[in-house]
Amino acid sequence: MVVLAALALLVSGCATGGTGARDEGPAHSDSVAGVAEAKSPSPSATVDDHVDAVKLVMNDPKVSSAVKHELKPCVADEYAVDVSYGMLTGGTANDVVVNVMTCGDAVGIGSYVYRATGGTYENVFKAEEPPVYAEIDRGDLVVTKQVYEKGDPVSSPSGENVITYRWTSGRFAQEYSTHNEYSNAVGGDASPAPSKN
């Protein structure tokens, strides 16, 4: 009888709003923060991700004079330059990807990768066959080149070549290459389909 009463008391105590581990609340954030601070910071967190991309390109002897000639302010002191930061070459600091475009139609005329070495940036990749655009994708360099057929307007290329490069033995080596053809039906360029009655 005493055993049954004790058992009933134990079961009722568990059933009256007890939520097990949830009653303890979340883990203390200060203990988690202490562990995070003890780790050495990642390279991407320690680098000042802000370079003067225009100055970098203009002072680079590997950049063609044609690209430098086109690199002008579009409005006031705004340039048509896209900049991305990320780990591409396995260094201790973020690499910088710079895309130079035309002001009017934003056609890529040059793509470059700069590697941080000894406080300066070294040009380790360039593509200057427009239209071209480079970006970082999961640690790889992906370069897209639009393909135009005769009569294609700048806004409607016929397709694109996408080339993936990986940093190997101190240089970028081509890993993959794909070709995509665009449908001419997109954007209303094709003749409308006949209606069904």
Side-chain angles (χ1 to χ4, degrees):
M1 185 78 136
V2 174
V3 173
L4 287 177
L7 184 60
L9 184 61
L10 180 63
V11 170
S12 66
C14 291
T16 56
T19 55
R22 291 185 197 167
D23 285 344
E24 296 301 318
H28 295 288
S29 58
D30 56 347
S31 62
V32 175
V35 172
E37 289 167 9
K39 293 181 182 177
S40 55
S42 66
S44 59
T46 60
V47 174
D48 180 17
D49 287 344
H50 188 73
V51 299
D52 186 340
V54 173
K55 185 176 179 182
L56 200 60
V57 170
M58 293 301 282
N59 292 336
D60 184 354
K62 293 184 178 179
V63 175
S64 71
S65 57
V67 170
K68 289 181 180 180
H69 182 268
E70 289 295 320
L71 185 53
K72 303 172 186 173
C74 298
V75 178
D77 60 348
E78 297 291 324
Y79 291 80
V81 175
D82 284 350
V83 184
S84 301
Y85 304 89
M87 303 301 287
L88 281 171
T89 65
T92 58
N94 277 333
D95 301 298
V96 182
V97 177
V98 179
N99 288 288
V100 179
M101 297 166 289
T102 59
C103 287
D105 42 23
V107 171
I109 57 174
S111 296
Y112 310 93
V113 177
Y114 292 94
R115 184 172 199 239
T117 54
T120 62
Y121 287 97
E122 175 192 3
N123 183 330
V124 292
F125 178 89
K126 75 173 184 173
E128 294 181 328
E129 296 173 13
V132 63
Y133 196 87
E135 55 193 333
I136 301 168
D137 183 14
R138 291 171 289 188
D140 290 333
L141 176 66
V142 178
V143 178
T144 303
K145 297 182 178 182
Q146 303 289 335
V147 176
Y148 290 87
E149 293 181 1
K150 188 174 180 180
D152 285 345
V154 172
S155 60
S156 299
S158 295
E160 66 181 7
N161 293 324
V162 181
I163 306 165
T164 302
Y165 296 91
R166 186 163 293 158
W167 186 257
T168 307
S169 302
R171 65 181 184 86
F172 282 105
Q174 182 175 319
E175 284 287 307
Y176 313 104
S177 179
T178 60
H179 174 75
N180 302 313
E181 290 186 359
Y182 301 149
S183 168
N184 60 4
V186 177
D189 294 333
S191 302
S195 59
K196 295 181 181 179
N197 293 333

